[in-house]
Each structure stands twice: as C-alpha cells, then as structure tokens.
Amino acid sequence: MVMDGVTMEVGAVAAMRYIKDGIKAARLVMRHTKHTLLVGEKASAFSISMGLPGPTDLSSPESIEKWNKWKENNCQPNFWKNVVPVNSCGPYHSNGLLLVAETTCPGDDPRRAVELRSNHFGLHSHDTISMAVIDKFGYIAVGTSTNGATFKIPGRVGDGPIAGSSAYADSDIGACGATGDGDIMMRFLPCYQVVESMRLGMKPKDAAKDAISRIARKFPDFVGAIFAVNKNGTHAGACHGWTFQYSVRSPEMYRTEIFTVHP
C-alpha cells in the first residue's frame, strides 16, 4: 500500500501471487487506475501488464523448509478456530457450536471467549515494513509492504493494504506506520486514529500511545506497534506485547538512528 499525503490518493494490492515487488504494484494501481485496491490473480495480471517481472516463483529454500516442518507438525499453530479436526491439516469443518453472542448469558463478558493470540505473532512470524517520507517541500507519503502472517489461511488479507491501518498520511498533519497482529489492528484503523489525534493537537508520542491503548483495552493479548511523525518531523513510537524499534534518517543526520520503544 502507498499513500500520497497531498492528494490523499492510495494504491494497494492484496492476496497477490507471483509478483516480487508488491509495493511497486501498489504504486502502479495509484498511478494508472482510478481504483484504490486490486486483489488476487487479477492484481498479478495487472502488475505484469504494467511492466513488473513475472510470473515469478517466490519460494525460497528457507520458506519451503519452514512449510515442510509445519506440515510435519500437523499444521500447528494455525489461524483456525471452532473447527474439527483440531490437531490436523484439515480439511476443516465447523464444530457445530453456536456463535458466542447466542450462547452467552446476560452479564457475561463476551471478551472471555476471545482466544489468546500471542502464539501467532512475534518478531519472526511476519515481515511488515512501513515507512513515512517527508520531502523538502513538506509533502508526506507512506508505504507498507508485507508477506502477511506466517501459516495464514489462504485468502487472508491483513492490515498491510488497508489505508488507515498499516499506514496513513496527511501532509497538513503528519503520518503513521504500524506493524503487528494485523487481523486485530485493522479493526481499529490505528494510523488513521493517530493522524486525527495529531490534527486535534496531540503530540506524536501521545497520539501513538492512545491508538495502541485503544486496541489493548479490547485485546490485551495483542502484539503490535506504531510510529507517528508530525509534519515538522517530530516522531515517536508506542507498542504492546513486544519491544519495538524503528529507524529515522534526516538530511542533518550523519547516519540512520534506531529508536527503541518499550511496552
């Protein structure tokens, strides 16, 4: 996903195979179509028609080995829930239980039924890169690229291509980038929240902490992080469930500086 903070144009692709440079494909969507998001096989075909190399086999020896070991472990862990058989590679079927909303009694807290997710996300289970850039004219752009969660269910789309979730920019205000449990974070559009909070006068540090805390109140086991930067270049980060690092480089800096944010 890429977003122009001046025009508010967005280009994004999702569930795309055989194309190595997803962020380039997203930019092609923004530059050459009036759409915002293309997905699946047709997104791949579009990208190739616009000049990107492909179809390309994106498997590596490391990824194949990881997948084989996962299969040998009966496809555990995975992202299925309320299905049978539980400890296998499927095919899966509903276990026949009613929805939580239909089985809870008055006064029960439905959040008790939310499965803990910490075993799915961590430093080595996904590979999101989110970036914000401010040019010499003060124009801001953001971009996010990711392969998504390891061992995800085929067809899954996370927060990477969702404007306002993985990233958001408004050159009048600032920008935000996010990483972590995208299935949870995209429900809150945390980066849109950050930019709007800064619009109302919050400092980047407070805006980032506020967006993270909104998620943590509902999902205390989630893992995620945010960086925020205003139009003047003041930046900060906030995280939950891990220690987060982000890097900054400006024309005045001799080298890139890494900032560490603790939960």
Side-chain angles (χ1 to χ4, degrees):
M1 186 275 285
V2 293
M3 181 173 187
D4 185 326
V6 177
T7 65
M8 309 306 285
E9 291 178 292
V10 174
V13 292
M16 188 174 64
R17 304 177 67 185
Y18 308 122
I19 302 297
K20 181 179 180 180
D21 298 312
I23 196 76
K24 290 183 179 180
R27 192 163 183 262
L28 290 171
V29 172
M30 185 174 70
R31 293 187 64 183
H32 298 295
T33 82
K34 296 181 180 180
H35 298 308
T36 292
L37 173 63
L38 298 182
V39 303
E41 177 185 347
K42 297 302 182 181
S44 299
F46 164 81
S47 302
I48 294 170
S49 73
M50 289 292 104
L52 292 187
T56 303
D57 183 0
L58 302 181
S59 298
S60 67
E62 292 80 7
S63 67
I64 293 173
E65 181 182 6
K66 181 182 291 186
W67 184 81
N68 284 331
K69 288 182 178 179
W70 180 68
K71 293 284 285 187
E72 292 170 1
N73 194 42
N74 294 321
C75 302
Q76 304 299 314
N78 60 44
F79 288 86
W80 292 93
K81 66 178 184 179
N82 300 329
V83 295
V84 291
V86 176
N87 297 313
S88 79
C89 291
Y92 301 101
H93 306 281
S94 169
N95 64 6
L97 295 179
L98 297 177
L99 296 176
V100 171
E102 297 174 348
T103 59
T104 53
C105 298
D108 284 351
D109 185 352
R111 285 175 293 182
R112 293 176 183 171
V114 176
E115 178 186 1
L116 297 181
R117 301 170 57 91
S118 58
N119 62 321
H120 291 315
F121 282 86
L123 294 175
H124 306 292
S125 63
H126 66 107
D127 57 358
T128 302
I129 298 175
S130 188
M131 181 181 294
V133 178
I134 306 175
D135 72 8
K136 62 182 180 180
F137 301 107
Y139 301 156
I140 303 176
V142 293
T144 299
S145 181
T146 180
N147 279 331
T150 304
F151 310 133
K152 57 185 174 288
I153 297 172
R156 178 259 190 186
V157 174
D159 67 331
I162 307 302
S165 186
S166 71
Y168 196 76
D170 185 333
S171 293
D172 295 333
I173 307 300
C176 167
T179 184
D181 189 342
D183 289 293
I184 296 298
M185 298 180 76
M186 68 193 298
R187 303 171 190 177
F188 295 81
L189 295 179
C191 278
Y192 177 79
Q193 181 67 53
V194 164
V195 173
E196 291 307 299
S197 292
M198 291 193 295
R199 191 189 307 276
L200 295 175
M202 275 193 185
K203 297 178 180 180
K205 181 177 181 179
D206 296 330
K209 285 185 175 181
D210 175 69
I212 286 291
S213 66
R214 288 169 183 259
I215 305 173
R217 283 196 292 269
K218 297 289 188 179
F219 295 92
D221 192 57
F222 101 98
V223 174
I226 285 174
F227 72 79
V229 57
N230 65 20
K231 64 180 181 180
N232 300 317
T234 303
H235 58 85
C239 58
H240 184 85
W242 62 1
T243 297
F244 170 60
Q245 291 184 316
Y246 68 97
S247 58
V248 176
R249 181 72 181 268
S250 69
E252 297 77 24
M253 298 170 64
Y254 179 72
R255 59 171 59 90
T256 299
E257 186 172 356
I258 297 175
F259 292 84
T260 300
V261 183
H262 297 282

